[in-house]
Amino acid sequence: MMLAALLLAAAAPQDATLMLFAEHFYRGKSVSFAADEGDIRPGFAPASIKASGRWLVCSEPRFKGRCVELDKDYPVEAALGISFNIRSLRALQPGAGAALPPPGTTPGGPSLAGNLSRFFAAPTYGSERTLACPDGAPGMACAKKTAEDLCRRAGYRAAEHFILQSERGLYYLADVLCTKP
């Protein structure tokens, strides 16, 4: 029992906290979280958010539905590109992979660009590998949607090719070919 508690404590990100506010600019009713929650009911759709550390927030219980990664404060929820009530949340460790980032975030990582295409060997958002399915168990339909979003964020129209790469129990996008035509 003591060993399990130590392992659990070691797995939790240090000082990760998330505060949801009912009004813009961190005003009104608020609720704070310091650990993963699979089914929350804050009683309001957040209008502003303060985030310390990296968090995955999802529109459905048990990390399902639309999920977005947060790693900074948002005084107005419109900057997030979400308008849903958060129903589950999870603190993310460094190396846990990148979930779908907020709008305007572009992918990075080693790539080779031509006139009408770009090849990402191991795409990233920030310093994190791109998860194939940030909102649930990996599947080809979900991974295709993630690859298409990645290509659009990079300025291309479609993902012509991609694979899922498994590392340490997580599935990442790899060998993504984005095209313009």
Side-chain angles (χ1 to χ4, degrees):
M1 183 74 154
M2 181 67 130
L3 178 60
L6 288 173
L7 290 175
L8 190 57
Q14 297 287 15
D15 300 326
T17 58
L18 186 77
M19 289 186 70
L20 309 177
F21 294 85
E23 297 178 25
H24 293 141
F25 303 104
Y26 320 115
R27 293 190 308 246
K29 184 177 176 183
S30 68
V31 61
S32 182
F33 301 93
D36 299 358
E37 294 286 344
D39 190 5
I40 63 170
R41 298 172 196 267
F44 57 87
S48 56
I49 299 171
K50 281 190 170 276
S52 170
R54 288 177 55 223
W55 290 85
L56 180 71
V57 297
C58 301
S59 63
E60 300 296 326
R62 293 176 296 286
F63 316 105
K64 303 285 186 203
R66 183 157 179 242
C67 298
V68 176
E69 183 178 324
L70 307 177
D71 64 355
K72 61 182 181 181
D73 297 346
Y74 292 89
V76 180
E77 85 286 355
L80 272 169
I82 64 171
S83 59
F84 59 76
N85 198 1
I86 295 172
R87 291 293 313 275
S88 56
L89 49 89
R90 172 181 291 157
L92 298 173
Q93 285 276 14
L100 187 62
T105 305
T106 57
S111 68
L112 179 63
N115 288 329
L116 298 174
S117 62
R118 186 169 175 188
F119 176 76
F120 291 91
T124 63
Y125 286 112
S127 63
E128 299 288 332
R129 288 284 308 272
T130 304
L131 292 170
C133 295
D135 60 352
M140 291 308 285
C142 174
K144 179 163 181 52
K145 183 178 173 185
T146 304
E148 293 283 345
D149 179 70
L150 181 134
C151 289
R152 281 191 297 278
R153 288 171 182 265
Y156 294 85
R157 294 179 77 188
E160 290 295 323
H161 174 79
F162 65 91
I163 63 169
L164 276 67
Q165 181 181 20
S166 174
E167 287 184 18
R168 300 180 321 269
L170 297 172
Y171 288 87
Y172 302 101
L173 284 181
D175 297 347
V176 180
L177 178 62
C178 301
T179 60
K180 286 194 177 181

